[in-house]
Amino acid sequence: MKQCWAALVVLTLAAFIPVTAAAQSGSPSPSGDRMSGELGQNFPNPFNPETKIPFAVGDPPMCTDRSRLYRVSLKVYNVLAQLVAIPVLQGGTSGNAGRPIDNLMLTCEEYTAYWDGKYMNSSREVASGIYLYRLEIDGMARVKKMIVMK
């Protein structure tokens, strides 16, 4: 029972990470308090062994400045808030396909990330359970959860 409560506390705290990150950045985002992008639900969910994560940078298709670059990171964490993996960019017109999404400079567009369900820098598959994925665009963040089921 303690583990269930611990997981619930971690998930609750993770929901507040975007607010904290925005408040600590010190500079307002160009769009005010609103994040410049969206984080979609991974699919399939639950998944085994791999998944895709849709996300948008800027405000496509109504981007006014398509040359503007945004600093983007997407990371996967376990319920203990330990970094598990950094998905790679799949497709897109930015020329960054196949690169880990860690401080990538991306333009206003819709993207898809790919995660093979393995621990970072290893060939071991992650255990079944709940994982959190966090998209950060220019210091503003969104968090969602996904389920690995074996």
Side-chain angles (χ1 to χ4, degrees):
M1 188 68 177
K2 281 185 179 180
Q3 292 173 337
C4 289
W5 279 106
L8 182 60
V9 168
V10 170
L11 287 172
T12 303
L13 290 175
F16 292 107
I17 289 173
V19 174
T20 305
Q24 292 176 352
S25 69
S27 60
S29 68
S31 58
D33 291 314
R34 201 170 71 88
M35 181 175 171
S36 298
E38 285 296 322
L39 178 60
Q41 185 63 52
N42 71 301
F43 62 92
N45 189 32
F47 70 96
N48 179 27
E50 57 191 33
T51 190
K52 294 180 181 181
I53 303 168
F55 66 97
V57 175
D59 192 17
M62 301 179 337
C63 297
T64 55
D65 184 5
R66 296 213 177 259
S67 64
R68 177 166 185 244
L69 293 174
Y70 299 82
R71 184 172 305 278
V72 180
S73 293
L74 179 63
K75 297 179 181 178
V76 177
Y77 298 89
N78 62 20
V79 292
L80 299 175
Q82 298 166 324
L83 180 62
V84 172
I86 300 174
V88 296
L89 189 62
Q90 190 175 47
T93 59
S94 65
N96 288 311
R99 292 188 57 199
I101 306 170
D102 188 17
N103 288 316
L104 277 184
M105 299 304 288
L106 299 175
T107 58
C108 180
E109 188 176 336
E110 291 181 351
Y111 296 93
T112 302
Y114 169 79
W115 180 40
D116 61 5
K118 296 181 180 165
Y119 287 103
M120 193 160 55
N121 301 323
S122 82
S123 59
R124 286 185 22 231
E125 289 186 359
V126 298
S128 294
I130 298 172
Y131 292 84
L132 304 171
Y133 56 105
R134 182 178 190 263
L135 175 68
E136 185 174 326
I137 301 174
D138 287 344
M140 300 289 287
R142 291 254 166 84
V143 178
K144 289 203 176 197
K145 67 179 180 177
M146 62 178 133
I147 300 172
V148 176
M149 188 178 293
K150 303 216 174 177

